[in-house]
């Protein structure tokens, strides 16, 4: 297993400074860049361990705090094990920050994250890959469609509201996407019902986007997050296999 170095970095955006976690192979050489978009709970030990695992596979991974306008990490007061059913007040903290992060603000930030990776001596030249979880899957799709020349591949896992009937739905950027996409949907996910799954599939197909959309049976929303009550080991292992395969094809 490749030795990994992790550190905290700051990224200057158009609206301020976003703190972030950076993980990369500890060899001093540049590696393909991966922008990892958080779930709603934000940067915490588990998310850093996911970045470390990707770095150990040979990538330079940036995990920005997309809620930086609400404060530096940790933005929320979270327990070590997150069970929203036991502590519903968690979402009372999170929802205002989520609602404040409009697609316009998120994509303005994405420009800064992508520029930071492009300028880093730890990242090889050329487009990067994206992976996102929960709300991060939305951000990954938006970013792939907003900055197509800077994104070679994008993945999203247990994403919610990917193909709504609103005018700012992520699936509407499909016509601009040039990257290969992969989505691993959670089974029986109220935030991405079958009609949205089909709408996303239809939009990507109509736009000629290279893509794979799969439903993970028995996996609930959040199935990749081992520090939450939604974790599903089988679904998580399938996610890692799919993600690393996509990255291997890309780079």
């Amino acid at each position: 297993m490749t030795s990994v170095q992790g550190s905290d970095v700051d990224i200057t955006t158009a609206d301020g400074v976003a703190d972030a976690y950076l993980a990369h192979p500890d060899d001093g050489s540049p590696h393909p860049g991966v922008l990892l978009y958080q779930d709603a709970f934000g940067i915490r030990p588990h998310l850093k361990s996911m970045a470390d695992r990707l770095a150990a596979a040979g990538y330079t991974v940036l995990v920005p705090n997309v809620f930086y306008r609400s404060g530096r990490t940790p933005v929320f007061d979270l327990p070590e094990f997150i069970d929203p059913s036991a502590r519903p007040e968690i979402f009372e903290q999170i929802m205002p920050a989520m609602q404040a992060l409009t697609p316009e603000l998120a994509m303005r930030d994405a420009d800064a994250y992508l520029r930071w990776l492009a300028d880093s001596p730890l990242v090889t030249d050329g487009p990067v890959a994206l992976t996102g979880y929960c709300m991060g899957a939305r951000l990954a799709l938006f970013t792939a469609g907003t900055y197509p020349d800077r994104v070679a591949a994008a993945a999203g896992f247990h994403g919610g509201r990917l193909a709504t009937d609103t005018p700012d739905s992520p699936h509407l950027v499909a016509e601009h996407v040039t990257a290969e996409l992969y989505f691993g949907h959670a089974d029986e996910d109220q935030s991405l019902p079958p009609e949205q799954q089909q709408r996303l599939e239809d939009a990507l197909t109509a736009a000629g986007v290279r893509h794979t959309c799969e439903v993970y049976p028995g996996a609930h929303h959040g199935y990749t997050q081992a520090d939450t009550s939604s974790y599903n080991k089988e679904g998580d292992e399938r996610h890692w296999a799919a993600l690393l395969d996509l990255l291997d094809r890309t780079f």
Side-chain angles (χ1 to χ4, degrees):
M1 184 66 72
T2 300
S3 178
V4 168
Q5 182 176 337
S7 61
D8 296 324
V9 299
D10 283 345
I11 301 171
T12 300
T13 74
D15 299 324
V17 176
D19 56 296
Y21 178 71
L22 179 71
H24 58 90
D26 190 16
D27 59 7
S29 299
H31 294 270
V34 177
L35 176 59
L36 191 159
Y37 278 125
Q38 64 178 64
D39 63 355
F41 300 124
I43 300 176
R44 56 197 192 281
H46 173 65
L47 213 64
K48 290 183 177 182
S49 73
M50 295 180 73
D52 290 347
R53 181 167 175 175
L54 275 178
Y59 303 99
T60 295
V61 186
L62 182 68
V63 190
N65 167 23
V66 302
F67 294 146
Y68 71 89
R69 293 177 182 82
S70 299
R72 294 179 68 87
T73 301
V75 181
F76 311 118
D77 178 22
L78 298 174
E80 288 187 15
F81 183 78
I82 304 168
D83 183 356
S85 65
R87 289 190 56 184
E89 72 276 8
I90 289 174
F91 280 104
E92 294 178 8
Q93 301 178 52
I94 294 173
M95 288 308 296
M98 289 184 64
Q99 292 168 351
L101 186 65
T102 63
E104 292 76 18
L105 290 178
M107 290 306 96
R108 200 154 71 209
D109 293 340
D111 175 60
Y113 306 149
L114 293 171
R115 279 190 289 105
W116 194 95
L117 285 168
D119 292 341
S120 173
L122 296 171
V123 179
T124 54
D125 293 338
V128 303
L130 318 171
T131 184
Y133 303 86
C134 178
M135 59 169 282
R138 285 172 50 88
L139 297 179
L141 180 51
F142 272 131
T143 303
T146 305
Y147 302 103
D149 58 330
R150 297 153 77 177
V151 178
F157 300 92
H158 47 84
R161 300 177 60 242
L162 294 176
T164 68
D165 57 4
T166 62
D168 62 351
S169 177
H171 80 286
L172 297 176
V173 305
E175 63 181 314
H176 305 296
V177 173
T178 58
E180 180 178 354
L181 304 184
Y182 178 92
F183 290 99
H185 304 319
D187 193 18
E188 300 180 9
D189 187 346
Q190 293 183 349
S191 68
L192 195 75
E195 59 268 24
Q196 284 199 43
Q197 295 176 20
Q198 189 61 53
R199 188 180 293 141
L200 175 63
E201 174 68 34
D202 291 346
L204 296 177
T205 299
V209 177
R210 293 167 297 151
H211 71 281
T212 302
C213 295
E214 298 181 315
V215 178
Y216 289 22
H220 297 287
H221 186 79
Y223 62 80
T224 63
Q225 304 300 301
D227 60 347
T228 75
S229 56
S230 301
Y231 181 67
N232 178 282
K233 188 174 186 294
E234 182 179 351
D236 185 31
E237 291 176 350
R238 182 176 174 182
H239 133 262
W240 278 111
L243 176 58
L244 291 173
D245 185 53
L246 175 65
L247 296 179
D248 186 57
R249 289 197 305 275
T250 302
F251 300 115

